[in-house]
Amino acid sequence: MNMLTRAANFGAEFARMRMTQQCRVTMLVLGEFDHATGDYVDDPVLLYEGPCELVSRQAAAKHSSSGERDLVLSQPQLRIPAETPGAFPPGCEVVVTTANGDVRARVIAEEQRPHRTARRFQLEVLE
């Protein structure tokens, strides 16, 4: 095993140790037509359930035109184990169970890295 592979394995193990929260990722799939309501019933399909880490990163400073200080926006990031299979397309719903309660979010995109220690997803928090 070469040095780069050992470093990547060590990084992946360290990342898994930091994943102390639990999350559930689902995707809504168009289901059966309900004749009573005239709408389709969306069926949630479970894509992933397990350990994760929700990280809040500062994404950018947005200039305020009112003369006040710049507004700093945060971009939440979800990290799951690197060996987790499957695609999580944009729009998937995420529920992260934290010590302060559940956080509901939607996947925006997956970040691509050459040597990943975890799969990272940019999220949009839902109110």
Side-chain angles (χ1 to χ4, degrees):
M1 183 181 312
N2 67 22
M3 181 76 103
L4 185 59
T5 303
R6 282 194 308 220
N9 290 343
F10 177 75
E13 184 61 34
F14 182 71
R16 271 192 296 280
M17 288 180 358
R18 294 180 47 168
M19 295 179 192
T20 59
Q21 299 160 332
Q22 292 291 313
C23 68
R24 182 178 177 88
V25 181
T26 57
M27 179 175 65
L28 291 179
V29 176
L30 189 63
E32 298 290 321
F33 183 74
D34 185 357
H35 293 286
T37 63
D39 291 325
Y40 285 92
V41 179
D42 293 334
D43 294 329
V45 175
L46 181 64
L47 300 177
Y48 175 76
E49 186 171 30
C52 66
E53 180 182 18
L54 184 63
V55 179
S56 181
R57 303 178 308 156
Q58 289 186 352
K62 183 178 179 182
H63 179 67
S64 173
S65 60
S66 64
E68 299 290 325
R69 283 187 261 155
D70 290 346
L71 175 65
V72 178
L73 303 174
S74 66
Q75 177 72 52
Q77 183 186 72
L78 177 70
R79 297 176 184 171
I80 63 173
E83 66 275 2
T84 303
F88 298 1
C92 290
E93 292 195 13
V94 178
V95 177
V96 180
T97 303
T98 68
N100 297 330
D102 290 348
V103 176
R104 291 187 59 240
R106 181 175 297 123
V107 172
I108 296 173
E110 182 171 3
E111 293 182 8
Q112 300 298 324
R113 298 195 177 187
H115 303 289
R116 67 182 186 185
T117 56
R119 290 182 68 185
R120 293 170 171 82
F121 298 89
Q122 297 172 3
L123 299 180
E124 171 188 21
V125 176
L126 303 173
E127 298 300 323

